[in-house]
Amino acid sequence: ELPCHARPPRATRPTPSCWALRFDGGSKDAVPQVNNPKTGHSRNRRLRKWQPGQLDMHHMYVGSSVSTFVILPDSTTILIDAGDLNATRFTQSRLARQIEAIDVFPNDSFTPAGWIVQYLLDFAPASAHRRQPKRKAHQHQLLHIDYLIITHFHADHVGEPEARSKKSPSGTYTLAGVPEVAQHVSFGTLIDRGYPLYDYPKLLRTGGDSTFENYVRWLDQAVREGMHAQRFEVGRDDQITMRHKPSAFPGFRVRNIKRDMSFSRATPDDRSVHTIPGSVLDADREFNENFVSLGMVMHYGDFAYYEGGDQDSRKVNGLLIDTVTPVASAAGRVDVATLNHHGHGMNAALMRDMDPRVMVVQGWAGDHVPTSSMQVIAETTSEQQPRDIFATHIHEKRLRELGQLANLFTSTAGHVVVRVYPPGSQPSDPKVTATQPYEVFVLDANRKVVESRAYTATHKLDA
């Protein structure tokens, strides 16, 4: 057995003891007291641990993968997606267009899923660390996360089986992406767009897609072993809730605004559900999973955050299918938005209706972000209407291709953490006079702060 400090090849999985010891997270005394002791940070220092009342969104940079870890004000935890795309296959399939995908970050000591687990071990609140799992099937799981939310079933969001991937202990599925993370992390409730039937826009369980089939084999076994699973319900704001002390933070809620081709504002005075026109099925009855991604908005006091998976706008059978515009209208104004489809799912309506002050790009391919999207952002950015773009990864070649548009990025590599402080907090930046500040941090490969900026939450929902 290799020691914990060894660097095994990609297909090798560390033992549970290695996972537990690789990062201990440090102590709070190791963090310097600078600026406001509640919010201040300096460069090359550890990000302060989450504190009750804070809302944290960690956009992880681990390779050709999309994954976001969320800690709610009462310590309820959410993992949104946990992908692992075969970067070699992707790059070879796009040689003609010279589009590359990054394999794994920071190195191949672990797979992208493995690095997700490392990150969770480092930043999960104390309440998420498991002491003694109740079920034998969970004996190797070191963390418990309250929710796992899957926006859609593409490999960079759920994991792609590869020839070098290991089989599960039961032999029924392959350890890649979500199933691999689940070897070390238990989940209370899974929410995705189709459970249990998976029949939109056609039957998926018999569709022959190896990525989805591997995911659902893992899911079926996890449900048998005690995990709950639900279909994401459009129009609700009470499906994803705080699990531990909800009454202590009444200003938090999650609006379910989009699933498949249905959308809703999901507000108390408007829960009506509408259908986006057009069929996503092409002439061969195939479809692009991006169109049917989930969409949600998290609210905390005056702060609003949008997550929409890979919403897109493109032609199918010669007709435009646009999920970006109706979802932007349903979302309304937000402070922070993850950009749809790694920046591809952008248009003027999104910038007008959502008006994000901060945008997060979860990038991993050489065409993230396209020039057309950057132009849309540039046209709506000015000194009077500033915007900051934080990207987990943008290829250097892409930056050169963007030319002056590349100057719109605030950062182009690293984990991106959005931390929202409770209403009434004082910001660390004396120039910001806020009733509810939030900050954005960029973390390097060692998860140390290399950039931070302070903002004021302004987009409280008027309903």
Side-chain angles (χ1 to χ4, degrees):
E1 180 177 290
L2 293 173
C4 290
H5 64 268
R7 292 183 50 167
R10 176 178 166 86
T12 303
R13 301 292 184 264
T15 62
S17 60
C18 288
W19 290 89
L21 297 175
R22 195 169 182 99
F23 290 107
D24 63 9
S27 67
K28 63 181 180 180
D29 296 329
V31 182
Q33 301 294 314
V34 296
N35 300 323
N36 183 326
K38 292 184 178 180
T39 61
H41 287 77
S42 62
R43 283 174 172 268
N44 298 317
R45 294 295 186 270
R46 301 284 293 178
L47 178 68
R48 291 178 178 281
K49 292 292 186 180
W50 170 91
Q51 296 294 320
Q54 295 174 353
L55 170 63
D56 281 9
M57 284 81 73
H58 295 253
H59 307 84
M60 289 174 266
Y61 172 30
V62 295
S64 295
S65 168
V66 176
S67 188
T68 305
F69 178 50
V70 183
I71 310 175
L72 304 190
D74 74 333
S75 82
T76 297
T77 48
I78 302 172
L79 185 65
I80 304 175
D81 295 335
D84 185 352
L85 177 138
N86 185 331
T88 301
R89 177 199 57 77
F90 178 92
T91 300
Q92 290 176 345
S93 69
R94 288 159 175 79
L95 286 176
R97 290 190 286 162
Q98 297 183 327
I99 299 176
E100 297 182 0
I102 56 174
D103 187 16
V104 62
F105 180 86
N107 57 54
D108 62 359
S109 296
F110 297 101
T111 62
W115 282 116
I116 289 171
V117 174
Q118 291 294 315
Y119 194 102
L120 296 177
L121 286 169
D122 210 8
F123 288 107
S127 59
H129 288 261
R130 301 192 68 153
R131 291 173 174 81
Q132 184 61 46
K134 296 180 180 180
R135 292 172 175 263
K136 184 177 180 181
H138 300 161
Q139 60 185 343
H140 296 306
Q141 294 171 327
L142 304 170
L143 291 172
H144 179 77
I145 303 299
D146 295 298
Y147 293 97
L148 172 61
I149 300 175
I150 303 300
T151 61
H152 62 297
F153 306 130
H154 274 162
D156 57 326
H157 294 258
V158 298
E160 178 177 9
E162 302 180 38
R164 57 184 174 179
S165 302
K166 279 191 171 183
K167 283 288 187 179
S168 65
S170 65
T172 56
Y173 56 87
T174 300
L175 301 181
V178 169
E180 184 180 350
V181 171
Q183 291 299 295
H184 304 279
V185 179
S186 67
F187 297 102
T189 301
L190 174 140
I191 300 175
D192 67 19
R193 72 175 188 84
Y195 185 84
L197 298 179
Y198 299 106
D199 58 356
Y200 185 89
K202 63 180 185 178
L203 292 176
L204 302 181
R205 284 182 180 266
T206 57
D209 181 272
S210 61
T211 293
F212 175 78
E213 289 179 352
N214 190 64
Y215 162 78
V216 83
R217 283 196 297 268
W218 161 77
L219 170 60
D220 289 342
Q221 179 170 319
V223 169
R224 290 194 296 270
E225 293 174 352
M227 183 183 75
H228 299 286
Q230 302 173 3
R231 186 177 73 162
F232 185 88
E233 298 296 340
V234 177
R236 290 180 57 180
D237 62 1
D238 61 352
Q239 184 176 21
I240 303 166
T241 61
M242 291 184 287
R243 290 289 185 88
H244 306 304
K245 296 181 180 179
S247 61
F249 308 99
F252 178 85
R253 62 179 170 137
V254 180
R255 293 161 52 217
N256 295 6
I257 63 171
K258 161 73 162 55
R259 186 200 73 231
D260 299 336
M261 296 294 279
S262 299
F263 70 99
S264 170
R265 279 183 52 78
T267 60
D269 62 346
D270 185 5
R271 300 189 186 279
S272 57
V273 178
H274 309 275
T275 300
I276 299 170
S279 172
V280 298
L281 290 173
D282 63 22
D284 298 320
R285 291 192 55 79
E286 299 298 329
F287 72 101
N288 190 323
E289 183 73 22
N290 293 334
F291 287 125
V292 292
S293 294
L294 303 184
M296 69 194 84
V297 179
M298 294 186 184
H299 292 269
Y300 184 34
D302 290 343
F303 177 85
Y305 167 86
Y306 165 78
E307 164 61 57
D310 283 0
Q311 307 296 336
D312 213 340
S313 178
R314 64 180 64 191
K315 288 186 176 182
V316 177
N317 298 326
L319 300 175
L320 179 67
I321 302 297
D322 176 15
T323 66
V324 176
T325 300
V327 169
S329 176
R333 299 178 70 215
V334 300
D335 296 281
V336 179
T338 57
L339 291 189
N340 298 320
H341 195 195
H342 322 286
H344 285 273
M346 286 285 298
N347 63 20
L350 183 149
M351 298 304 295
R352 179 194 66 230
D353 293 342
M354 294 176 61
D355 189 29
R357 176 65 178 85
V358 172
M359 290 162 280
V360 180
V361 178
Q362 293 168 288
W364 50 261
D367 62 345
H368 301 162
V369 177
T371 301
S372 59
S373 294
M374 296 301 293
Q375 290 172 335
V376 169
I377 295 172
E379 290 168 359
T380 60
T381 301
S382 65
E383 290 186 8
Q384 294 74 34
Q385 195 174 32
R387 304 189 194 280
D388 290 336
I389 310 173
F390 296 84
T392 57
H393 178 82
I394 302 293
H395 277 58
E396 290 188 10
K397 179 183 176 184
R398 178 87 281 253
L399 291 172
R400 292 193 298 270
E401 293 168 345
L402 287 171
Q404 291 298 314
L405 290 171
N407 295 330
L408 292 170
F409 288 103
T410 304
S411 68
T412 57
H415 309 290
V416 178
V417 183
V418 179
R419 172 164 288 174
V420 188
Y421 298 96
S425 300
Q426 291 299 314
S428 60
D429 187 341
K431 296 180 181 179
V432 178
T433 57
T435 58
Q436 188 174 16
Y438 65 97
E439 291 185 276
V440 180
F441 303 92
V442 180
L443 311 185
D444 64 13
N446 296 315
R447 301 176 205 142
K448 291 185 177 181
V449 176
V450 295
E451 177 75 31
S452 66
R453 294 199 177 189
Y455 304 88
T456 303
T458 60
H459 288 168
K460 183 176 181 180
L461 186 69
D462 297 326

